Amino acid sequence: VVPGETALAFYKAKNPTDKPIIGISTYNVVPFEAGQYFNKIQCFCFEEQRLNPQEEVDMPVFFYIDPEFAEDPKMAKVDLITLSYTFFEAKEGLKLPLPGYK
């Protein structure tokens, strides 16, 4: 991905069980310092997703790396940014806090 250009990635999720699952995804950017330059335009994270038994889906994330990434001397040796997701089963009545909000 070239800083400043938008990109579209898909993450595959599968429910290997025999019951429906409702879950919420959170994301992580590594190295941590590069996270400030990662910008999601549209994402499935922090929204409940329902997966039926044995269902497999592709979940899209539309994003870009801020062009200032290329100007930051601390990022000079960073040539790989990893975006990962963790899918948690939603618990009834439990809400995940949104990052940066209280």
Side-chain angles (χ1 to χ4, degrees):
V1 175
V2 175
E5 292 183 9
T6 57
L8 179 64
F10 290 89
Y11 286 79
K12 190 173 298 287
K14 181 176 182 179
N15 176 1
T17 72
D18 61 353
K19 65 178 181 109
I21 293 178
I22 296 175
I24 298 173
S25 298
T26 61
Y27 74 97
N28 190 44
V29 176
V30 175
F32 176 77
E33 297 81 11
Q36 66 182 324
Y37 297 105
F38 178 78
N39 294 281
K40 293 183 285 80
I41 298 168
Q42 187 173 1
C43 181
F44 55 86
C45 53
F46 302 113
E47 295 177 6
E48 287 188 353
Q49 307 289 327
R50 178 187 171 97
L51 295 175
N52 290 315
Q54 303 301 317
E55 181 178 19
E56 184 172 285
V57 296
D58 288 327
M59 294 195 242
V61 58
F62 191 44
F63 68 97
Y64 69 95
I65 305 299
D66 190 307
E68 290 184 18
F69 170 86
E71 306 301 319
D72 186 339
K74 295 181 297 211
M75 298 293 111
K77 294 186 179 188
V78 175
D79 60 357
L80 178 67
I81 298 174
T82 302
L83 172 64
S84 62
Y85 285 87
T86 303
F87 188 78
F88 297 95
E89 187 171 0
K91 301 297 183 193
E92 191 170 331
L94 181 65
K95 296 284 185 190
L96 284 178
L98 293 175
Y101 296 98
K102 293 186 180 198

